[in-house]
Amino acid sequence: MNESDETARGRRLWVYEHRFSEIINVGGNFSAIGSSVATAAVRAATADAMACFIDINEMQAAASETIARLTGAAAGCLTSCASAAVTICVAATMTGLDLALVESLPAEAGERDEVVLQLGHVVDYGAPLLSAIKLAGGKPRIIGQVSRVFDHQLEAALSERTAAALYVVSHLTAQNGQIPLERFVELAHARGIPVIVDAAAERDFRSFIAAGADLVIYSGHKVLAGPTSGIIAGRKELVRAAYLQNAGIARGMKIGKEGIAGAIVAMEQALAHPVAANKPEEILAAWCQTLTALKGLSVERRPDPIATDMHRLKVTVNRYLTGFSAAALAQALGQRRPRILVRDFGISHGYFELDPSFVSADEAELVAEAIKETIIKSTTLPDKGETDHRNGKVNSYLRWLE
Ligand SMILES: *Cc1c(COP(=O)(O)O)cnc(C)c1O
């Protein structure tokens, strides 16, 4: 391979041959753009694994050992992604080690099939969390209101039909009024019910196990920057039951040797160099300086709602001053070459965020210049209202095949 065909970020010739559009990611670990960029060591491990036969069980045993060291859990295993891990963990709490029951899911789910969760945790991470539960044959039993959930509501929902209580740690959940994890665990354990924590996008690999969770789920391809994979960490008997689902519904969710190899190396890297709090001061300061000067924009540093030591820049567009919305600006940035993808969760409220985690200082400058240029030429921007909520999700999934 010609070295000049490979950029510092490791994009390879194959990517160029296919003319895939170049992306500057100031959004986050989004699945739709491949989640993260892996180190050379992670890439080498996946490539090596592709070159030989390897015993998958031996690899999973090695992964278990690494997951245990990373999380403090007794054991762990890998699957295809965090969403699959939710389905598999739910199944594990329903079947235990009963192979006949494993084979009977999801249609015949046995005596314990309810999964209790708080209304504020019923999120959509690109697909409804409830779909992942139901895929195992689990019946979601939702408690409380979006703004407030009480202990007695959890206690009343736990019964001999309950397979598990599921807790989501994410910026996507309601951030107020939910039962704290420690209390949630205490109440579930008082009834002998295991607690599953979905922490797919989190950087905190230890505190949920430490808080007493029985199974904890992470994405291997988000913060850890491994290949697409899902990490299950937890109590040994439950991890065994989770892995046994490969004899049933999890067959279609399997991870391959290349995924296991890359995920192990990604976890080893996180152990060797704890994933640092991301606060590239210079990038944030430079963005502030360029963007505050632009008419109609206001900027503000914002900590992540969960990982509060991680900061992003919130950019609010005053459409009465600019004549266009935050959505129109974000869309125009996404149509440039290279494409600039911003963090758009707040777009219907007139703002987006810039995440400095994945860009070099040069790329960061390019982003600020692109925003400036787009605004100066803003007569070409449509005064588009908010994003099209009716067709937004269908469009985001099917734009490539119109
Ligand atoms: C991203 C995410 C998922 C899904 O993760 P994948 O590994 O992409 O399947 C599930 N739950 C939460 C909270 C997430 O943020």
Side-chain angles (χ1 to χ4, degrees):
M1 177 181 300
N2 181 345
E3 274 302 310
S4 65
D5 288 326
E6 197 173 338
T7 72
R9 314 179 86 212
R11 266 183 258 99
R12 301 228 168 221
L13 186 60
W14 183 83
V15 174
Y16 286 127
E17 273 176 359
H18 282 74
R19 296 170 198 237
F20 296 132
S21 47
E22 199 179 327
I23 293 172
I24 295 180
N25 179 13
V26 280
N29 293 122
F30 299 144
S31 301
I33 51 170
S35 300
S36 52
V37 172
T39 61
V42 168
R43 282 148 41 208
T46 63
D48 283 1
M50 291 298 285
C52 46
F53 295 104
I54 324 179
D55 184 323
I56 296 291
N57 288 333
E58 234 175 68
M59 294 186 91
Q60 287 279 5
S64 176
E65 192 267 328
T66 307
I67 293 168
R69 275 189 290 118
L70 181 66
T71 63
C77 64
L78 295 171
T79 184
S80 57
C81 65
S83 191
V86 172
T87 305
I88 289 168
C89 288
V90 165
T93 60
M94 287 161 61
T95 66
L97 299 175
D98 181 340
L99 184 56
L101 200 46
V102 169
E103 290 176 348
S104 76
L105 295 189
E108 291 152 50
E111 272 152 28
R112 287 180 177 267
D113 62 354
E114 288 186 2
V115 178
V116 174
L117 74 167
Q118 306 177 81
L119 181 55
H121 287 191
V122 181
V123 297
D124 181 316
Y125 44 75
L129 174 66
L130 296 185
S131 297
I133 296 169
K134 292 184 224 166
L135 203 50
K139 312 254 181 321
R141 171 126 189 207
I142 298 166
I143 58 166
Q145 271 61 49
V146 171
S147 53
R148 199 75 204 266
V149 187
F150 295 98
D151 290 5
H152 71 270
Q153 294 166 337
L154 176 56
E155 285 173 314
L158 299 171
S159 73
E160 60 290 341
R161 291 213 61 88
T162 313
L166 176 62
Y167 197 97
V168 182
V169 180
S170 168
H171 66 98
L172 298 169
T173 67
Q175 297 299 323
N176 299 309
Q178 309 301 301
I179 300 173
L181 179 61
E182 285 76 3
R183 184 79 183 130
F184 194 84
V185 167
E186 190 184 325
L187 294 175
H189 283 182
R191 298 291 299 268
I193 309 287
V195 172
I196 303 168
V197 173
D198 174 3
E202 299 314 304
R203 184 160 50 82
D204 178 347
F205 297 113
R206 298 193 78 90
S207 75
F208 314 120
I209 288 290
D214 301 277
L215 287 168
V216 180
I217 294 160
Y218 296 97
S219 275
H221 49 104
K222 289 181 177 171
V223 174
L224 284 166
T228 307
S229 50
I231 297 166
I232 295 170
R235 281 174 31 213
K236 190 169 168 190
E237 283 311 287
L238 282 170
V239 170
R240 296 181 80 215
Y243 195 66
L244 197 60
Q245 305 306 319
N246 282 299
I249 57 168
R251 174 70 187 196
M253 308 173 192
K254 77 167 88 58
I255 183 168
K257 58 188 176 181
E258 69 286 1
I260 301 175
I264 290 174
V265 175
M267 289 188 284
E268 292 293 351
Q269 285 182 346
L271 275 161
H273 310 281
V275 183
N278 201 330
K279 232 195 280 182
E281 295 300 330
E282 281 156 34
I283 291 180
L284 288 168
W287 278 343
C288 269
Q289 200 179 8
T290 311
L291 301 182
T292 339
L294 300 175
K295 185 174 162 227
L297 292 197
S298 53
V299 300
E300 180 196 348
R301 272 175 79 132
R302 280 232 301 197
D304 182 89
I306 313 274
T308 48
D309 53 355
M310 187 174 147
H311 289 207
R312 303 190 181 90
L313 196 73
K314 176 181 176 185
V315 181
T316 306
V317 177
N318 182 338
R319 59 191 300 195
Y320 301 103
L321 292 178
T322 57
F324 54 85
S325 65
L329 179 54
Q331 195 185 343
L333 292 169
Q335 285 165 354
R336 291 174 64 96
R337 292 289 172 267
R339 289 166 62 188
I340 295 172
L341 298 189
V342 301
R343 192 174 184 84
D344 62 359
F345 295 107
I347 208 83
S348 59
H349 298 290
Y351 73 89
F352 56 76
E353 288 177 294
L354 299 177
D355 189 326
S357 307
F358 315 103
V359 287
S360 64
D362 287 349
E363 286 171 319
E365 193 182 329
L366 208 138
V367 170
E369 285 306 316
I371 292 175
K372 190 170 164 184
E373 195 183 297
T374 309
I375 288 179
I376 289 168
K377 294 187 191 150
S378 67
T379 43
T380 58
L381 285 181
D383 178 19
K384 213 163 159 279
E386 311 317 341
T387 42
D388 182 346
H389 282 287
R390 197 160 42 86
N391 292 320
K393 196 168 182 182
V394 172
N395 286 344
S396 80
Y397 275 92
L398 290 183
R399 220 173 4 229
W400 66 277
L401 189 61
E402 274 170 342

